[in-house]
């Protein structure tokens, strides 16, 4: 079973964290939410308190198949200011293992760590210059996969981004079944 750690910092974007967590768990992936604050409770950008499964110091993250970073502000900035998070993300990337970030996090965290240099990536509109300055090619797509890095655009991209991650960690058939069960594919079909 694949294992994913989702780092939560105060100010994270609610749907960018919770939709992928939900989709991945439905697909049989072990998802561990991690508080990067001194408390188990982390407050989202919209005032929703989430109790994380563990606090940052409770794991070494070496068993991670994927490290995932939600966006939101100041959530993404708070992740970047956490030295431990930055080290885990760099170690994961250097080991050739999967890293994913959505919204502001690709620019605010991954780009500033040098991870996106020479890669294609997407992010929330308005942050694309940060990607370009870091040597990335900005796609503007809902999600972009380049090697072991997956980036997502913003809140509306949370579902397609999550299904892509599930495809990578399990398989396309499972991802498609979960999407159908959640009526996502119905949403994309023409209105009658």
């Amino acid at each position: 079973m694949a294992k994913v750690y989702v780092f939560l910092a105060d100010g994270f974007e609610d749907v960018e964290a919770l939709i992928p967590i939900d989709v991945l768990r439905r697909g049989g992936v072990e998802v561990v939410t991690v508080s990067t604050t001194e408390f188990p409770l982390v407050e989202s950008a919209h005032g929703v308190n989430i109790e994380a499964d563990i606090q940052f110091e409770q794991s070494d993250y070496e068993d991670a198949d994927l490290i995932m970073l939600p966006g939101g502000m100041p959530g993404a900035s708070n992740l970047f200011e956490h030295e431990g998070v930055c080290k885990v993300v760099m170690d994961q990337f250097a080991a050739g293992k999967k890293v994913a970030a959505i919204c502001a996090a690709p620019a605010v965290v991954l780009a500033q760590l040098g991870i996106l240099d020479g890669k294609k990536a997407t992010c929330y509109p308005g942050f694309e210059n940060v990607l370009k300055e870091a040597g990335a090619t900005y796609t503007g797509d809902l999600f972009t996969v380049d090697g072991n890095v997956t980036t997502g655009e913003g809140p509306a991209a949370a579902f397609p981004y999550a299904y892509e991650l599930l495809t990578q960690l399990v398989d396309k058939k499972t991802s498609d079944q979960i999407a159908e069960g959640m009526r996502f594919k119905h949403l994309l079909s023409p209105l009658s």
Side-chain angles (χ1 to χ4, degrees):
M1 177 187 297
K3 188 168 191 177
V4 175
Y5 290 96
V6 179
F7 290 127
L8 302 176
D10 282 334
F12 72 89
E13 174 57 48
D14 311 52
V15 299
E16 294 168 359
L18 298 177
I19 287 173
I21 290 167
D22 180 273
V23 167
L24 293 172
R25 285 184 175 170
R26 286 175 193 243
V29 175
E30 181 183 356
V31 180
V32 180
T33 56
V34 181
S35 170
T36 62
T37 74
E38 59 184 306
F39 306 104
L41 278 183
V42 186
E43 186 176 349
S44 77
H46 303 286
V48 177
N49 289 310
I50 301 295
E51 183 173 356
D53 298 318
I54 64 171
Q55 289 181 260
F56 182 82
E57 297 76 20
Q58 292 179 280
S59 179
D60 62 13
Y61 307 101
E62 289 182 7
D63 60 344
D65 293 294
L66 169 70
I67 297 292
M68 194 183 92
L69 308 176
M73 291 298 278
S77 295
N78 288 336
L79 288 174
F80 182 68
E81 290 168 11
H82 192 288
E83 288 181 22
V85 167
C86 290
K87 181 179 183 334
V88 168
V89 170
M90 289 296 295
D91 289 350
Q92 179 86 356
F93 176 73
K97 295 165 76 179
K98 295 181 186 307
V99 175
I102 188 169
C103 194
V108 175
V109 183
L110 300 186
Q112 293 192 77
L113 292 176
I115 287 175
L116 299 181
D117 186 21
K119 293 207 172 285
K120 294 178 187 163
T122 192
C123 65
Y124 193 80
F127 286 94
E128 61 271 14
N129 285 339
V130 178
L131 294 189
K132 292 173 185 174
E133 289 167 8
T137 300
Y138 172 68
T139 66
D141 295 336
L142 285 178
F143 66 86
T144 301
V145 181
D146 191 336
N148 59 330
V149 178
T150 302
T151 51
E153 186 205 30
F159 276 109
Y161 167 83
Y163 295 129
E164 170 59 28
L165 295 177
L166 184 57
T167 297
Q168 292 178 27
L169 295 166
V170 181
D171 57 50
K172 178 110 172 78
K173 181 180 177 188
T174 301
S175 181
D176 286 348
Q177 288 172 340
I178 300 296
E180 178 62 35
M182 296 179 81
R183 306 307 293 145
F184 183 76
K185 295 208 178 255
H186 176 72
L187 178 70
L188 296 178
S189 60
L191 299 175
S192 45

